[in-house]
């Protein structure tokens, strides 16, 4: 087994390394996606409009679900897969930027996924707005050689065009919804409708050509809607759609309560993680209650909850009345990297630093961002930190053991401390700027990097889950974009959950 980032800096992808083969999989022309481009931000405006003028997601979702049921989809939305009591599947989140960062994951994903029965994409299949025209290079092409079905739950970006393309691709080519009646003038709904981003007409010939890349019989699967459950052997996998704003509507909430009563052990897969960045986000249900209340109910037998949306890996083993539920963030499948060095010292839900896991390690995250801004601001001599310097200063600022032993150049100087402070190391969520914004969010959300502007190591990841009647084994594998990690993807985290 190859070194992981917890073993060596080379295992993390630092240093001189042979480039991977992923560029050979990419199309000849890749349109760079920049989240600092005003055109991109304007196209992705529907989330902001929903928060200002009311969220129409629940109503639209209900219309999609009714359409699927009228077409013959099962009312309980359960996909029943015949097979043995032992099976394996992949989980990969936040995939579809379509650049080198997404394609760098593919070689390792294909190698590790050999003999798996299916895969699940957890949130944000397509960036920036879930357009049908993007599915060719951002879904069908990268995963054309994965021989089994791929299911998906939508993320907020898939909703920026009212989920139309997602439903066509994953839900048996569902036709578009009929237009809704015009709202009354000058009300909140009228302003929302006036400013709402609408999808462009679909290029049917282009979409048909893209579908041909995953047209083998073994690759086909039609899911009953944007939320569903899969019964496979001894496990039920429950996928929920958290829409534009990270909540679920009353109809989906009632379904979730009902489908959770099945006696099988369960895993929840959600577009919005329930524990992330050292905080608990239980996910509200319209009309009352939360998703996490359903997950924590001992009669429902949930053993894990896996969420996308945040572009890294995190794990929180939370003790709930004497049993452990594994809360996992798994959004590192292809989009730009969300920082981990901004996560404060963990103390949430009874989980401390001793139990918490993340990838990339905080020191690697800080080094990554320091090089990014050193290049962007043309101040490399001031801002660039070595991985050893970054590892050491993170451990000092948070008062934790370093993720791996720092190298010989691990000196902490005034410059090192300045850069760590500027880039929000340790989060410090209690410390706000004069504009009442948390310092770490100013640097890592407002100025989030576009992955296409950076070279390896990319710090991407994906999960493999192996299930038997007795236990579930989950492994998080790394993808850096370097050849060594393509040939033998390192395991960054591994644990076993008893199912009996």
């Amino acid at each position: 087994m190859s070194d992981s980032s917890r073993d060596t800096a080379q295992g993390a992808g630092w240093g001189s390394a042979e480039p991977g083969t992923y560029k050979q999989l990419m199309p000849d022309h890749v349109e760079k996606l920049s989240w600092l481009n005003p055109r991109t931000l304007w196209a992705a405006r529907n989330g902001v409009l929903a928060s200002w003028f009311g969220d129409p997601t629940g109503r639209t979702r209900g219309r999609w679900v009714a359409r699927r049921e009228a077409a013959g989809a099962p009312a309980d939305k359960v996909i029943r897969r015949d097979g043995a009591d032992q099976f394996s599947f992949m989980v990969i989140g936040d995939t579809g930027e379509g650049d080198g960062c997404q394609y760098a994951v593919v070689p390792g994903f294909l190698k590790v996924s050999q003999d798996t029965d299916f895969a699940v994409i957890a949130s944000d299949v397509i960036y920036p707005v879930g357009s049908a025209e993007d599915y060719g290079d951002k879904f069908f092409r990268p995963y054309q050689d994965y021989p089994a079905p791929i299911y998906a739950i939508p993320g907020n970006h898939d909703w920026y065009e009212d989920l139309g393309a997602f439903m066509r691709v994953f839900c048996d080519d569902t036709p578009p919804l009929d237009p809704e009646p015009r709202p009354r003038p000058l009300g909140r709904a009228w302003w929302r409708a006036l400013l709402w981003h609408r999808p462009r007409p679909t290029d049917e010939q282009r979409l048909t050509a893209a579908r041909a890349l995953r047209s083998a019989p073994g690759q086909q699967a039609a899911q009953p809607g944007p939320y569903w459950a899969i019964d496979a052997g001894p496990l039920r996998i429950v996928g929920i759609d958290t829409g534009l704003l990270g909540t679920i509507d009353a109809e989906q909430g009632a379904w979730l309560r009902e489908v959770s009563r099945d006696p099988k052990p369960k895993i929840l897969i959600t577009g919005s993680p329930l524990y992330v960045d050292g905080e608990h986000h239980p996910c509200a249900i319209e009309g009352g209650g939360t998703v996490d209340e359903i997950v924590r109910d001992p009669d429902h037998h949930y053993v894990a909850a896996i969420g996308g949306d945040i572009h890294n890996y995190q794990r929180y083993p939370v003790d709930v009345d004497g049993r452990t539920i594994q809360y996992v963030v798994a959004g590192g499948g292809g989009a730009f990297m969300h920082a981990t060095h901004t996560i404060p010292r963990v103390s949430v839900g009874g989980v401390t630093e001793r139990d918490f896991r993340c990838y990339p390690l905080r020191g690697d995250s800080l080094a990554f961002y320091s090089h990014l801004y050193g290049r962007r601001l043309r101040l490399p001599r001031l801002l660039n930190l070595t991985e050893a310097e970054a590892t050491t200063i993170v451990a000092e600022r948070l008062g934790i053991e370093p993720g791996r032993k720092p190298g010989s150049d691990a000196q902490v100087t005034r410059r090192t401390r300045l850069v760590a402070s500027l880039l929000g190391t340790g989060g410090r969520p209690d410390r706000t700027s004069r504009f009442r914004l948390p310092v770490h969010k100013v640097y890592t959300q407002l100025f989030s990097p576009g992955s296409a502007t950076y070279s390896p190591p990319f710090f991407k990841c994906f999960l493999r889950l192996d299930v038997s009647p007795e236990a579930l084994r989950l492994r998080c594998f790394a993808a850096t974009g370097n050849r060594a990690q393509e040939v033998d993807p390192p395991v960054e985290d591994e644990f076993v959950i008893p199912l009996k």
Side-chain angles (χ1 to χ4, degrees), residues 64 132 163-176 202 204 207 211:
W64 281 123
L163 211 63
F166 180 97
M167 295 297 293
R168 292 199 62 179
V169 169
F170 293 102
C171 300
D172 202 22
D173 205 13
T174 304
T202 300
E204 298 295 340
L207 184 58
R211 285 180 183 276

Side-chain angles (χ1 to χ4, degrees), residues 356-377:
F356 171 68
R357 294 291 182 272
C358 69
Y359 176 78
L361 297 175
R362 288 184 178 99
D364 290 329
S365 171
L366 177 58
F368 175 102
Y369 269 81
S370 73
H371 284 259
L372 176 75
Y373 289 115
R375 184 175 60 257
R376 277 194 177 172
L377 301 177

